[in-house]
Amino acid sequence: MHSFPDGASWRTSSYTQQQNCVEVADAPGVTAIRDTKNRERGALLFSSGEWQALVEGAKHDRF
């Protein structure tokens, strides 16, 4: 796990409603995700290309 820049703007999906599970934040060239219940454990970092591939794969039910 890695830390993400201080002051990052974290967001949750509108689909999670009351059960927020993950938060996402963007910085130049990188996207981070973290567990809302364990924020102190850090975040997983993805390059922009990796993140786009993950999102596209999820949209098209490839997993």
Side-chain angles (χ1 to χ4, degrees):
M1 295 287 192
H2 301 280
S3 61
F4 200 64
D6 290 335
S9 180
W10 292 92
R11 64 189 184 281
T12 57
S13 170
S14 59
Y15 293 102
T16 61
Q17 298 174 14
Q18 300 296 330
Q19 300 172 9
N20 295 333
C21 297
V22 288
E23 294 176 311
V24 178
D26 298 306
V30 66
T31 297
I33 62 170
R34 67 182 181 185
D35 184 343
T36 59
K37 296 176 188 88
N38 293 300
R39 292 179 178 119
E40 67 282 350
R41 294 190 69 193
L44 294 172
L45 303 180
F46 297 89
S47 70
S48 296
E50 291 169 329
W51 183 251
Q52 272 306 114
L54 177 69
V55 169
E56 287 301 311
K59 283 181 182 178
H60 295 98
D61 199 26
R62 294 185 185 139
F63 303 110

